[in-house]
Amino acid sequence: MSDLFDILLSVSFWAAAIRIASPLIFATMGELICERAGVLNLGIEGIMVIGAFAGWMAVYLGAPLWLGVTAAMAAGMLFGLLHATLTVPFGLSQHVVGLGVTMLATATSYFAYRLALPEVTSPPKVTPFAPMDLPVLSDIPFLGPVLFQQTALTWAALICAGLVGFVLFRTPLGLAVRAAGENPAAVEAQGLSVTGLRMGAVVVGSGLMAVGGSFLTLSAFSSFFFEMVNGRGWICIALVVFGAWRPGKAVLGALLFAAFDALQIRLQQTPLGAHLPYQVFLMAPYLLSILALILMSRRAEVPAALMVPYRKGER
């Protein structure tokens, strides 16, 4: 118990939790935008993979880090456009298309990697984003090292969550996007294009998912390797439900899962880790997240038109 308290009160634990949550925040905001518009994007896992690869490859070929992030976003938006085209105007199954996009994006990443680096046995490294050291703010006890010594992409994730919340709930555009996921007929009655809103939401949301993937290669690991996304996309879909389709609650969910993940890593290094198989610690964040999801999602209000195809003129 004393080891647990020491971990929970340590600066490194909370700094790691925020760092682990950063890619989840990007991808969760992307999925939330899609679902608020009425489209379930199960392509998120593959889009994160293609984002991780595209960002890393761009920087590996000599591009600046922010241009690598831009390349990742562009790749994600391209696959988002494919997903949106098949599900919105054509009305195909969002489940089937999403899983297809995940497999296509993942396979494309692996194929391009092998094509570009056929004889490489270990993934080449790039110079990632360095942790910032903000004057004065970084010197604040506890809070300084936790918040103000993160990389620029972590701050971008937090800013992104704030912007998504502002746009969705404080602007006419956000109202139109939410209406497209609640009552598309009312949107059409106002002379707006449901198809355009939904496709735009999926494309933008997919771009944010890919940026979440690029965080892994450009801020966390500095190289691309297979299976690096490791189910984070599926976690983000659960976080949207956990957050009741609201950005603030979804961010708290991401931080909660990240804290569980950071905790299990540290618990493996305590005397408890010598008596339990490491698999128990690995599965703990997922079990706790499932429990939290069950407790928090019972009162969640699902967007009424989520996964419901809409064609102009239909009621």
Side-chain angles (χ1 to χ4, degrees):
M1 188 61 68
S2 62
D3 289 333
L4 178 61
F5 280 118
D6 289 340
I7 292 171
L8 294 178
L9 294 176
S10 67
V11 170
S12 62
F13 168 75
W14 291 106
I18 292 177
R19 185 170 59 252
I20 294 170
S22 298
L24 301 178
I25 292 173
F26 275 121
T28 301
M29 291 302 105
E31 182 66 29
L32 189 147
I33 292 171
C34 295
E35 294 191 22
R36 271 293 185 176
V39 180
L40 175 66
N41 191 345
L42 293 183
I44 181 171
E45 183 82 2
I47 290 172
M48 289 185 73
V49 174
I50 196 69
F53 172 76
W56 169 80
M57 180 55 72
V59 174
Y60 178 71
L61 294 176
L65 287 169
W66 284 110
L67 187 56
V69 174
T70 304
M73 176 175 280
M77 294 175 76
L78 181 62
F79 280 89
L81 179 61
L82 173 63
H83 186 289
T85 301
L86 294 175
T87 57
V88 180
F90 290 104
L92 300 182
S93 169
Q94 295 178 12
H95 295 93
V96 175
V97 172
L99 294 175
V101 168
T102 282
M103 291 186 288
L104 177 62
T106 302
T108 299
S109 303
Y110 295 170
F111 175 74
Y113 179 89
R114 291 302 186 193
L115 190 65
L117 303 167
E119 298 179 358
V120 170
T121 56
S122 60
K125 293 184 178 293
V126 298
T127 302
F129 283 95
M132 298 185 298
D133 191 4
L134 300 179
V136 182
L137 294 177
S138 297
D139 298 328
I140 299 175
F142 193 85
L143 192 61
V146 170
L147 283 178
F148 301 112
Q149 292 182 7
Q150 301 285 350
T151 66
L153 273 186
T154 292
W155 275 98
L158 298 175
I159 293 171
C160 172
L163 286 175
V164 169
F166 176 79
V167 171
L168 282 179
F169 293 95
R170 294 291 186 270
T171 67
L173 175 60
L175 177 60
V177 170
R178 287 186 288 122
E182 294 285 352
N183 190 348
V187 175
E188 184 184 333
Q190 293 296 317
L192 300 176
S193 171
V194 176
T195 298
L197 287 169
R198 286 186 167 183
M199 289 190 66
V202 173
V203 170
V204 172
S206 297
L208 292 179
M209 297 172 193
V211 173
S214 72
F215 182 95
L216 300 175
T217 49
L218 301 182
S219 186
F221 300 118
S222 74
S223 61
F224 175 81
F225 52 89
F226 302 146
E227 307 300 333
M228 71 181 312
V229 173
N230 196 29
R232 287 178 174 87
W234 312 125
I235 289 296
C236 292
I237 295 175
L239 290 175
V240 173
V241 181
F242 175 89
W245 289 268
R246 290 186 172 272
K249 291 182 179 180
V251 170
L252 290 178
L255 290 171
L256 181 64
F257 176 83
F260 289 154
D261 199 12
L263 181 62
Q264 65 88 10
I265 294 173
R266 285 157 176 77
L267 285 177
Q268 291 186 50
Q269 302 168 3
T270 65
L272 184 63
H275 296 89
L276 291 176
Y278 73 93
Q279 291 88 348
V280 173
F281 297 98
L282 291 177
M283 71 180 182
Y286 298 94
L287 291 177
L288 293 172
S289 297
I290 291 171
L291 177 61
L293 180 63
I294 293 172
L295 295 176
M296 295 296 293
S297 64
R298 296 181 67 180
R299 297 181 181 178
E301 296 183 3
V302 182
L306 180 62
M307 296 187 292
V308 179
Y310 183 80
R311 292 178 177 83
K312 187 174 182 179
E314 291 185 351
R315 293 292 188 272

